[in-house]
């Protein structure tokens, strides 16, 4: 999702704010960061700005401010008190700068307050152009150390790309390709994006310097936060007025987004609708099936509602319905599992369904693992190759499949042949890697096969 930072003052002082927000929506912007919410701002001012954005279908993020360690909780949360009481979105990210005092203690104080109030809030500590005492130095290392030491799930990093580009150009001009430590990327939950005009930051993208592609390659996969454009409108004047600067930067940012970011936007927008549609196969009177992900199936066969290898993967972080799986899967009678890879054996989903009235068809080599996730032994039908399982009208025949590459690398898995009286039979070889191996499986009317195109197949 693309976001844009706007001054909080604009929502009460800029007469053109409605037109600016209309322009942002037309450009595909989905989020606005209120910059900067300071301790002196009133809760009413912040809530008014947030309501303006929510009324237009925009998400809100906050750029907060901490003055001192002792006042950190009040500095951040007092101006947001009304907003937090009236939150109209599922989660809220608050970005703050490091302070000259103990940043770990500051993060823990903020995290404790969030946990105490059960707020759906995350804190992102931002790397800056300079260290907190305004000297040159590695702010990325400082931020990473503080976030790692805090070690809280509601605490992460705001990666300021423009400030990092400044640090490299200023302090390591002989290493223009220098990137943050690999561990850094795992903690990034928000971004600030702006270009450099020589060594001046917060300039429009496309017209100035920023190595976006190098950052995308490290950040994109499993980053679900906002790609937030942070221009400094007073700084870039008189060369740029705000709207032309945004009109230059937003399309440039969109055109350079990694394909993962674009895919996640599609999932964020459409997955709940897709999933709800897939569930309709259980309402049908005929034999039907639906696809949730590339290897997650729902079936209605001879009156039995069953599923195979249900995994929501990254959709869990992008959509609402995966969190409702226990309720939405109330009609489910049988779940068949093939092997232990997380795109087929998703522990969070299995735990969520542990209390439902489901018979679990599980390979014998996964029995101990699934019992550890809360599935009662009484609900298990243990699969052994060649031994038929008769459950709720289904005839299920497990067989040894081949999830091993020719070099032997892979994992054990079972495929299945599924049939029922008066219904088409189905074969599930699952994630086969060696297509020359023949299993002793009866003929089937339909085969659900996952074709492996080999590593780097897109390049071949």
């Amino acid at each position: 999702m693309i976001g844009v930072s706007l001054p909080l003052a604009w929502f009460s002082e800029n007469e053109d704010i409605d037109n600016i927000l209309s322009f942002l929506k037309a450009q595909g912007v989905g989020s606005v960061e209120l910059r900067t919410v300071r301790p002196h701002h009133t809760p009413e001012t912040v809530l008014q700005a947030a309501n303006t954005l929510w009324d237009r279908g925009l998400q809100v993020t906050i750029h907060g401010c901490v003055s001192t360690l002792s006042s950190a909780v009040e500095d951040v949360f007092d101006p947001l008190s009304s907003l937090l009481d009236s939150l109209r979105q599922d989660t809220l990210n608050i970005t703050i700068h490091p302070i000259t005092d103990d940043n770990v203690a500051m993060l823990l104080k903020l995290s404790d307050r969030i946990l105490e109030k059960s707020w759906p809030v995350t804190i992102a500590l931002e790397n800056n152009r300079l260290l907190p005492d305004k000297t040159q130095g590695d702010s990325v290392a400082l931020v990473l150390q503080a976030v790692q030491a805090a070690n809280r799930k509601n605490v992460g990093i705001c990666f300021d790309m423009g400030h990092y580009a400044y640090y490299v150009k200023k302090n390591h001009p002989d290493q223009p390709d220098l990137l943050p430590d690999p561990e850094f990327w795992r903690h990034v939950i928000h971004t600030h994006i702006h270009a450099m005009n020589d060594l001046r930051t917060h300039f429009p993208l496309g017209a100035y310097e920023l190595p976006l592609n190098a950052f995308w390659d490290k950040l994109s996969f499993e980053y679900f936060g906002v790609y937030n454009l942070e221009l400094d409108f007073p700084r870039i004047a008189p060369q740029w007025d705000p709207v032309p600067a945004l009109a230059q930067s937003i399309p440039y940012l969109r055109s350079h987004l990694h394909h993962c970011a674009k895919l996640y936007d599609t999932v964020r927008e459409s997955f709940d609708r897709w999933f709800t549609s897939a569930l309709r196969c259980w309402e049908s009177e005929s034999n039907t099936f639906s696809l949730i992900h590339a290897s997650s199936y729902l079936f209605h066969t001879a009156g039995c509602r069953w599923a195979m290898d249900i995994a929501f993967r990254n959709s869990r972080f992008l959509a609402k319905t995966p969190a409702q799986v226990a309720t939405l899967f109330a009609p489910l009678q049988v779940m068949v599992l093939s092997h232990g890879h997380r795109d087929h054996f998703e522990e969070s989903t299995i735990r969520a369904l542990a209390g439902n009235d489901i018979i679990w068809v599980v390979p014998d080599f996964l029995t101990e693992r699934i019992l550890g996730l809360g599935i009662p032994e009484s609900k298990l039908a243990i699969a052994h190759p060649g031994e038929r399982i008769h459950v709720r009208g289904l005839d299920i025949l497990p067989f040894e499949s081949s999830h091993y590459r020719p070099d032997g690398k892979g994992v054990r898995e079972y495929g299945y042949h599924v049939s029922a009286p008066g219904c088409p039979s189905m074969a599930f070889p699952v994630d086969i890697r060696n297509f020359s191996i023949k299993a002793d499986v009866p003929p089937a009317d339909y085969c659900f096969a996952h074709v492996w195109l080999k590593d780097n197949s897109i390049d071949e």
Side-chain angles (χ1 to χ4, degrees):
M1 180 187 299
I2 292 178
V4 169
S5 291
L6 295 181
L8 176 60
W10 276 15
F11 290 83
S12 57
E13 299 174 4
N14 191 326
E15 295 180 355
D16 206 31
I17 187 64
D18 287 338
N19 291 331
I20 292 172
L21 295 179
S22 295
F23 164 75
L24 295 179
K25 284 282 290 185
Q27 290 289 314
V29 171
S31 173
V32 169
E33 181 178 75
L34 299 176
R35 177 179 186 257
T36 299
V37 178
R38 301 189 182 278
H40 70 267
H41 286 124
T42 66
E44 294 75 20
T45 299
V46 179
L47 180 59
Q48 179 186 14
N51 278 328
T52 300
L53 296 170
W54 287 328
D55 288 346
R56 289 180 171 269
L58 292 161
Q59 295 285 296
V60 175
T61 61
I62 301 292
H63 196 320
C65 179
V66 174
S67 302
T68 66
L69 175 60
S70 62
S71 64
V73 170
E74 292 76 16
D75 288 348
V76 171
F77 296 121
D78 281 2
L80 302 179
S81 58
S82 296
L83 180 150
L84 291 168
D85 287 341
S86 308
L87 198 61
R88 292 163 58 184
Q89 59 191 55
D90 293 334
T91 60
L92 177 71
N93 182 77
I94 304 170
T95 294
I96 57 172
H97 289 172
I99 58 175
T100 55
D101 209 326
D102 187 339
N103 283 284
V104 178
M106 175 185 67
L107 292 174
L108 291 176
K109 289 178 68 171
L110 296 173
S111 173
D112 285 344
R113 178 55 62 90
I114 292 168
L115 295 172
E116 173 192 337
K117 297 291 188 179
S118 299
W119 288 326
V121 170
T122 54
I123 298 293
L125 190 64
E126 178 187 354
N127 62 287
N128 296 142
R129 188 170 59 93
L130 302 173
L131 295 176
D133 63 2
K134 307 303 180 186
T135 62
Q136 298 288 336
D138 189 353
S139 180
V140 158
L142 181 150
V143 163
L144 177 58
Q145 184 277 328
V147 169
Q148 286 179 313
N151 193 27
R152 294 288 180 85
K153 290 184 177 180
N154 55 12
V155 171
I157 291 172
C158 172
F159 178 36
D160 191 303
M161 301 180 189
H163 285 170
Y164 181 75
Y166 166 92
Y167 164 75
V168 172
K169 186 171 184 177
K170 177 70 175 180
N171 298 281
H172 298 280
D174 57 330
Q175 297 178 271
D177 298 327
L178 183 66
L179 291 172
D181 185 279
E183 183 66 13
F184 176 86
W185 306 98
R186 190 171 71 83
H187 296 279
V188 176
I189 60 174
H190 193 61
T191 58
H192 284 163
I193 306 171
H194 49 90
M196 287 192 304
N197 180 4
D198 192 15
L199 285 172
R200 300 181 68 210
T201 55
H202 296 277
F203 275 73
L205 302 183
Y208 302 96
E209 176 184 1
L210 185 68
L212 274 177
N213 289 338
F215 299 149
W216 283 174
D217 288 343
K218 294 292 184 181
L219 182 65
S220 55
F221 183 63
E222 293 191 343
Y223 171 70
F224 309 112
V226 178
Y227 293 87
N228 192 78
L229 183 66
E230 189 191 36
L231 307 184
D232 189 322
F233 301 119
R235 181 177 302 179
I236 65 178
Q239 298 103 309
W240 294 87
D241 289 330
V243 170
L246 293 169
Q248 160 71 28
S249 299
I250 295 169
Y252 185 89
L253 176 58
R254 182 185 300 106
S255 68
H256 283 74
L257 283 178
H258 193 277
H259 68 86
C260 283
K262 298 174 183 178
L263 172 62
Y264 294 161
D265 276 346
T266 300
V267 172
R268 191 181 280 114
E269 178 182 350
S270 302
F271 183 84
D272 290 329
R273 174 169 48 83
W274 293 339
F275 184 34
T276 302
S277 177
L279 290 171
R280 294 197 184 104
C281 82
W282 288 342
E283 302 171 3
S284 172
E285 295 299 323
S286 59
N287 300 310
T288 56
F289 92 96
S290 299
L291 188 68
I292 295 177
H293 271 300
S295 55
S296 293
Y297 304 104
L298 303 178
F299 296 90
H300 189 187
T301 304
C304 179
R305 295 166 178 83
W306 63 286
M308 178 177 286
D309 288 351
I310 298 301
F312 294 100
R313 307 181 74 180
N314 292 336
S315 301
R316 293 182 294 121
F317 307 103
L318 298 165
K320 296 180 180 180
T321 47
Q324 304 164 11
V325 66
T327 300
L328 294 174
F329 272 21
L332 179 64
Q333 297 168 280
V334 178
M335 176 78 83
V336 180
L337 300 178
S338 64
H339 65 286
H341 280 159
R342 63 178 181 172
D343 58 331
H344 295 254
F345 188 102
E346 188 170 72
E347 293 190 357
S348 60
T349 297
I350 293 171
R351 285 195 186 96
L353 294 173
N356 285 30
D357 184 19
I358 299 169
I359 298 299
W360 295 76
V361 177
V362 182
D364 46 16
F365 56 85
L366 289 175
T367 303
E368 183 176 344
R369 185 173 167 189
I370 199 164
L371 288 172
L373 297 174
I375 304 300
E377 189 170 4
S378 61
K379 297 290 183 68
L380 297 186
I382 306 302
H384 305 280
E387 297 182 12
R388 293 183 180 274
I389 297 171
H390 299 281
V391 56
R392 293 181 174 170
L394 302 179
D395 183 313
I396 302 175
L397 176 64
F399 59 87
E400 289 276 5
S401 190
S402 179
H403 200 336
Y404 293 97
R405 305 180 186 212
D407 63 3
K409 184 178 180 181
V411 299
R412 193 177 184 189
E413 75 173 1
Y414 290 168
Y416 296 94
H417 181 280
V418 181
S419 59
C423 299
S425 57
M426 296 170 280
F428 300 88
V430 202
D431 285 358
I432 49 176
R433 294 291 182 265
N434 188 338
F435 298 94
S436 64
I437 294 178
K438 295 183 179 180
D440 185 15
V441 183
D445 295 304
Y446 296 96
C447 180
F448 294 75
H450 306 158
V451 180
W452 181 47
L453 299 178
K454 299 185 179 182
D455 296 333
N456 304 315
S457 60
I458 293 176
D459 300 326
E460 292 179 354

